[in-house]
Amino acid sequence: MDSFPAANGSQIIRRLVATIQDNAAYLSELDGAIGDGDHGINMSKGFGLALAQLDEQADLSTGLATLGETLFTEIGGAMGPLYGTFFSEMAAACQNRKTIDAILFGTMLQAGLHGVQDLGDAKVCDKTLVDTLAPATKSYVAALTAGATFAEALQRMARAAESGKESTRDLVAQIGRASRLGERTRGHLDAGATSCYLILDAMAGSMLALLAK
């Protein structure tokens, strides 16, 4: 299949929540090296609160909107608004759509990326979640342009997201609290880039499962 019903969206949201909760301690450990050490805790809290509000019959747009609103209002610091905007923009891009196909998901990714960049003004190589999200989005769109199927494009997105996440290890933080540490941030993965990889990888995995049905 090259599409799946938007009505199955709650499955995607539930996998996102499980992924973040399973990796909460790891994300906080990463954040503790060059940040406040609470990234995983805050993300797990926000995703859990969103899940508690999620109707099992919610479509993808509704699920993403619930997640976005919850993260925006319940997580402190910069990450709540950034991820809240990301999911809210994705939700808006697929609102009232009954089927999610490859082109639509590309539009959703681009909307999410633009929302994050407009809010945080981060660029690739600033050592943020944009180092994961931007190349993942670019790779997905490029794959479709080259004739890839929905499934193939999702797989390429996930690989690009992992590479983007890994690239932050050798970067020096340019914005946010970590930027005050300068060269001391080199050699550490960025926690936001890592959580973004986990989100995109989980999203790809759950969508691939839906496409296989």
Side-chain angles (χ1 to χ4, degrees):
M1 294 176 63
D2 264 343
S3 66
F4 61 86
N8 291 339
S10 64
Q11 297 178 39
I12 297 170
I13 305 302
R14 291 178 186 282
R15 180 156 175 177
L16 291 177
V17 173
T19 297
I20 291 299
Q21 292 181 333
D22 289 346
N23 288 277
Y26 173 57
L27 291 172
S28 287
E29 179 183 349
L30 290 178
D31 192 37
I34 56 175
D36 293 337
D38 59 359
H39 182 56
I41 294 170
N42 287 340
M43 290 284 282
S44 181
K45 172 189 173 184
F47 276 65
L49 289 171
L51 180 62
Q53 301 176 46
L54 185 66
D55 188 318
E56 288 191 8
Q57 305 303 316
D59 65 7
L60 183 57
S61 178
T62 301
L64 290 171
T66 299
L67 189 53
E69 182 178 355
T70 305
L71 295 177
F72 203 98
T73 58
E74 298 294 339
I75 295 184
M79 298 310 293
L82 286 171
Y83 274 125
T85 297
F86 172 66
F87 288 118
S88 295
E89 291 294 333
M90 291 191 80
C94 65
Q95 189 174 18
N96 299 323
R97 300 292 291 269
K98 296 189 179 300
T99 301
I100 308 298
D101 60 22
I103 298 298
L104 177 56
F105 183 64
T107 300
M108 292 165 62
L109 278 176
Q110 290 174 310
L113 172 61
H114 293 157
V116 167
Q117 290 185 307
D118 287 346
L119 181 65
D121 200 31
K123 306 179 297 295
V124 172
C125 294
D126 282 345
K127 201 178 179 88
T128 71
L129 66 88
V130 171
D131 288 297
T132 295
L133 182 56
T137 301
K138 181 178 180 180
S139 181
Y140 179 88
V141 173
L144 289 187
T145 301
T149 65
F150 195 174
E152 291 167 343
L154 287 170
Q155 291 166 343
R156 294 187 196 181
M157 177 193 76
R159 290 197 295 268
E162 183 172 22
S163 296
K165 177 258 294 184
E166 287 297 326
S167 75
T168 65
R169 193 185 300 276
D170 297 323
L171 297 175
V172 174
Q174 300 298 318
I175 61 176
R177 292 184 179 181
S179 64
R180 294 177 295 185
L181 299 177
E183 279 291 333
R184 289 171 56 191
T185 61
R186 195 187 300 276
H188 298 279
L189 287 175
D190 179 71
T194 303
S195 62
C196 188
Y197 159 68
L198 292 169
I199 287 167
L200 293 178
D201 185 63
M203 196 172 284
S206 56
M207 289 184 176
L208 286 168
L210 290 172
L211 290 173
K213 290 184 177 180

